Amino acid sequence: MRVGNLPGIRRLPIYLHILRQFLADGVATTSAPALGQAAGLVASVVRKDLEMTGVEGTTGIGYAVADLVDGIETFLGWNNPNEAFLVGAGKLGTTILGYDTLRRQGLNIIAAFDVNPDTIGSVIHGVEVLPLGKLATLPGRLNVTLGVLTVPDKHAQRVADLMVKAGITRIWSFATPILSVPTHVVVQREDFSVGLTELLMKSAAMPKK
Amino acid sequence: MRVGNLPGIRRLPIYLHILRQFLADGVATTSAPALGQAAGLVASVVRKDLEMTGVEGTTGIGYAVADLVDGIETFLGWNNPNEAFLVGAGKLGTTILGYDTLRRQGLNIIAAFDVNPDTIGSVIHGVEVLPLGKLATLPGRLNVTLGVLTVPDKHAQRVADLMVKAGITRIWSFATPILSVPTHVVVQREDFSVGLTELLMKSAAMPKK
DNA sequence: TAGATTGTTAATCGATTAACAATC
DNA sequence: TAGATTGTTAATCGATTAACAATC
């Protein structure tokens, strides 16, 4: 469960955005100082981060932008998306299903589950909504171990239990409760308020202009 | 722009969730070891984090749950929400406007802006949608410096420029591009893919069961 | 008193930054 | 050759963890 250099991994998507912009602008070669400039980081940290991906630069010249884009995407697993189930096809679930970008960022939702008879059987953004009951057997049958949890808070733990029982070992949760799961299951909790809080704290620490 | 102990600040909302659960369960007193247990952290880190908030415990006993809830909320600024404008009342913007929890987490959106004639004038989850043109003067008039950016990626930079010109100094952006802004403006970029990537990396690093 | 826990200091660990030889 | 940049090592910085005296 130890992941090498998480802060560095978090910066990779940022480089990717910048590099894609470079590609679009016809820039074929870049350098650690140039990327750092664009990302607001010093060159050393950029070099260390890029080293993770295994992409090599040329001394005195820099890096090929296309190599970096490809290398980062491969390292992040973005050009080999993971099949996933989404549980809870309500408002938030629908937003996620319609968020095309995620498909290019490692996530391929192949089915959704819900308890609402009105939504069961419908197709949301190309994904069919199945009755929650089917969750028990489908992950095992299709060998899917990644689940997106977008049910209301009060059902989160109960549904998480169902997911775990069905063989889901990786849960990306958008519900607020802290879920308790067996040790072999990894939960990533998405908490909007963290980013907002960070923003408020940072601006409070800013020198008044 | 230096913020003391950002990792610690990020953990505070987690404690808060656990503590609220304790309150609901009628638990009046807790301790660093107990909180650490629930959050998956060692007691020392919990004590250090709680120290930030200024809440004091009692040697040999622990902390009063209600004190901690109040102390953390106050420290995070959650019981004194910041007035904000939202720009881009599309799908994502609508989801944010309907996300009640944020109101209890420091965000009070008082108006939204859009260019779509169909949505202008409508009221989404209690918030009126105004024409984008009004953005130029309203922040200054109402002394609002916090803005939520939920426009499509291709308009993000242009709209950010408008926000900055209007006096917004804190931008919470849900658009993917890296925005360039003057140094007195703080941008917090919300990137869904970061959490997902973290989950995939963590589970890849897990021992196979 | 015995057990538990705080607040705080010191030790450890990991990430950031600076520096520089090698090289295009 | 002169300028620039990589890859890597060493120095610095900050966060995590362990330890413990004070105290309820």
Side-chain angles (χ1 to χ4, degrees):
Chain A
M1 193 114 167
R2 178 92 272 290
V3 181
N5 197 7
L6 210 50
I9 292 173
R10 286 211 193 93
R11 284 187 295 262
L12 291 177
I14 297 177
Y15 302 137
L16 206 43
H17 287 293
I18 296 166
L19 291 164
R20 289 217 185 94
Q21 192 58 52
F22 284 175
L23 267 192
D25 295 348
V27 178
T29 306
T30 189
S31 66
L35 261 176
Q37 170 84 18
L41 301 163
V42 300
S44 327
V45 79
V46 175
R47 279 198 295 275
K48 269 256 163 60
D49 289 346
L50 297 181
E51 206 193 326
M52 279 193 294
T53 68
V55 175
E56 289 186 1
T58 310
T59 312
I61 306 295
Y63 303 86
V65 176
D67 285 2
L68 285 179
V69 169
D70 192 60
I72 294 175
E73 284 181 346
T74 301
F75 180 80
L76 293 176
W78 285 10
N79 43 26
N80 188 21
N82 295 261
E83 294 194 335
F85 287 136
L86 179 139
V87 187
K91 265 198 307 197
L92 188 57
T94 302
T95 304
I96 304 266
L97 288 170
Y99 207 70
D100 284 334
T101 322
L102 288 175
R103 203 161 304 174
R104 268 163 282 125
Q105 294 176 338
L107 187 71
N108 178 22
I109 298 175
I110 57 173
F113 297 89
D114 207 303
V115 289
N116 185 344
D118 295 343
T119 51
I120 290 171
S122 71
V123 175
I124 302 177
H125 297 292
V127 176
E128 193 175 358
V129 182
L130 306 173
L132 187 61
K134 293 233 174 180
L135 179 62
T137 56
L138 231 47
R141 283 227 319 266
L142 299 178
N143 203 21
V144 169
T145 59
L146 177 59
V148 185
L149 181 64
T150 47
V151 301
D153 286 353
K154 62 176 172 297
H155 303 309
Q157 181 63 59
R158 192 174 48 78
V159 171
D161 293 344
L162 290 177
M163 291 168 84
V164 169
K165 199 180 283 182
I168 299 286
T169 55
R170 306 176 291 175
I171 300 179
W172 193 21
S173 172
F174 287 78
T176 38
I178 313 291
L179 302 173
S180 70
V181 294
T183 51
H184 73 279
V185 176
V186 187
V187 174
Q188 178 75 26
R189 200 168 142 272
E190 212 56 44
D191 188 341
F192 279 2
S193 71
V194 170
L196 175 63
T197 300
E198 211 171 309
L199 174 62
L200 299 179
M201 291 279 158
K202 275 189 204 155
S203 54
M206 285 264 293
K208 291 283 156 284
K209 61 156 183 172
Chain B
M1 193 117 164
R2 180 90 271 291
V3 181
N5 196 8
L6 210 50
I9 292 173
R10 285 209 193 94
R11 284 187 295 263
L12 291 178
I14 297 177
Y15 302 136
L16 207 41
H17 288 295
I18 297 166
L19 291 164
R20 289 216 185 95
Q21 192 58 55
F22 284 175
L23 266 193
D25 295 347
V27 178
T29 307
T30 190
S31 66
L35 261 175
Q37 169 85 16
L41 301 163
V42 299
S44 328
V45 79
V46 175
R47 279 198 295 274
K48 269 254 163 59
D49 289 346
L50 297 182
E51 206 194 326
M52 278 194 296
T53 68
V55 176
E56 290 186 359
T58 310
T59 313
I61 307 293
Y63 303 87
V65 176
D67 284 4
L68 285 179
V69 168
D70 193 61
I72 295 176
E73 285 181 346
T74 302
F75 180 80
L76 293 175
W78 284 9
N79 43 25
N80 189 20
N82 294 263
E83 295 195 334
F85 287 136
L86 179 139
V87 188
K91 265 197 306 196
L92 188 57
T94 301
T95 303
I96 304 265
L97 288 172
Y99 208 70
D100 283 334
T101 322
L102 288 174
R103 204 161 303 174
R104 268 164 282 127
Q105 294 175 338
L107 187 71
N108 178 21
I109 299 175
I110 56 173
F113 298 88
D114 207 303
V115 290
N116 184 344
D118 295 343
T119 51
I120 290 171
S122 70
V123 174
I124 302 179
H125 296 291
V127 176
E128 193 176 0
V129 182
L130 307 172
L132 188 61
K134 292 232 174 179
L135 178 63
T137 56
L138 231 45
R141 282 225 320 263
L142 299 179
N143 202 21
V144 169
T145 59
L146 177 59
V148 185
L149 181 64
T150 46
V151 301
D153 285 354
K154 60 177 174 296
H155 303 309
Q157 181 63 60
R158 192 172 48 77
V159 170
D161 292 344
L162 290 177
M163 289 166 86
V164 170
K165 199 179 283 180
I168 299 286
T169 55
R170 306 176 292 175
I171 300 178
W172 193 21
S173 172
F174 287 80
T176 39
I178 313 291
L179 302 172
S180 70
V181 295
T183 51
H184 73 279
V185 176
V186 186
V187 175
Q188 178 76 26
R189 200 169 141 271
E190 213 54 45
D191 188 342
F192 279 2
S193 70
V194 170
L196 176 62
T197 300
E198 212 170 309
L199 175 61
L200 299 179
M201 291 277 158
K202 274 187 204 155
S203 53
M206 284 266 292
K208 289 284 156 282
K209 61 155 182 174

